Amino acid sequence: KRVVRAYAVNDGQGGVRRFGLRYRDGRTNRLGHGFLGFGERILTDLDTGASTAEFYDNATAVKIGSRDVVPFAGQVKRQWHYAPGLSTQPKPDQVEMVFADRTIDVAPTNGGASYFTLPTKLHSRRMQGSFSGGGSLAAYVELVESLENATMLRDSTVEVLDYDEHRNVLEVNVSTVGVDLTTHVKRTVKNDVSRWILGQPQWQEEC
């Protein structure tokens, strides 16, 4: 499988920004699904050390109708973004981190002849820590993600409570830890299947 290992883009100031990529856990399905993608993809800004690690579920099989499918392949299930302080900053050991976890539903359609997937929960945490340089930055970030042993700046959750057979989201809750407020959004949409004009907003309430 051919993949991109590195690339560069113009920085708008006559120079270039360089990026490197790494991949892990590539899988192929021998029952007809072909290449299922990688389990992890890491993009690193080679000039600043900032990185984004994306994790995919390319292993879970679900029975839809009479078929076994791998519906979550190619969809980000977890994402870690971390940016270390630069040597020119007042606190070069400071690390900004954002962790996002997604729950994805799979819904059969057409009597099991097809299906769609939809992210129904997003839990995001933004943290700030200090990395002294002992060991690797990636190992430090992994430890913080597990133990939460850094300053929590924000801990928010977006949860889809209802959606229709055409993948339109109808009801959502948005909440943040430490904030005494949960935003509840409820909407109705019109689906004109005869003309295949879907998801036309009709009414929405936020409270």
Side-chain angles (χ1 to χ4, degrees), residues 47-65:
D47 298 307
T48 66
S51 297
T52 299
E54 296 176 336
F55 302 86
Y56 303 84
D57 181 359
N58 59 0
T60 299
V62 177
K63 197 168 192 67
I64 304 292

Side-chain angles (χ1 to χ4, degrees), residues 162-177:
D162 191 22
Y163 55 88
D164 67 15
E165 67 274 16
H166 297 292
R167 207 173 178 267
N168 296 302
V169 173
L170 304 177
E171 192 171 0
V172 179
N173 271 348
V174 182
S175 60
T176 299
V177 174

Side-chain angles (χ1 to χ4, degrees), residues 95-130:
V95 183
E96 295 279 345
M97 295 161 282
V98 178
F99 304 102
D101 298 281
R102 293 178 176 86
T103 300
I104 303 174
D105 278 6
V106 55
T109 57
N110 299 317
S114 59
Y115 67 90
F116 66 79
T117 59
L118 179 73
T120 54
K121 188 174 183 179
L122 172 62
H123 178 212
S124 61
R125 296 167 293 162
R126 182 180 178 186
M127 294 186 242
Q128 187 179 88
S130 297

Side-chain angles (χ1 to χ4, degrees), residues 125-147:
R125 296 167 293 162
R126 182 180 178 186
M127 294 186 242
Q128 187 179 88
S130 297
F131 177 62
S132 62
S136 71
L137 176 59
Y140 167 74
V141 171
E142 183 176 0
L143 191 65
V144 170
E145 193 280 333
S146 175
L147 301 180

Side-chain angles (χ1 to χ4, degrees), residues 1 6 18 20 30 32 65 72 80 89 116 126 131 144 155 166 171 181 184 187 202 207:
K1 182 67 178 180
R18 302 172 303 119
R30 296 183 178 180
F72 309 119
W80 301 352
Q89 293 179 334
F116 66 79
R126 182 180 178 186
F131 177 62
V144 170
D155 187 342
H166 297 292
E171 192 171 0
L181 174 67
H184 182 78
R187 64 175 65 97
Q202 302 295 300
C207 58

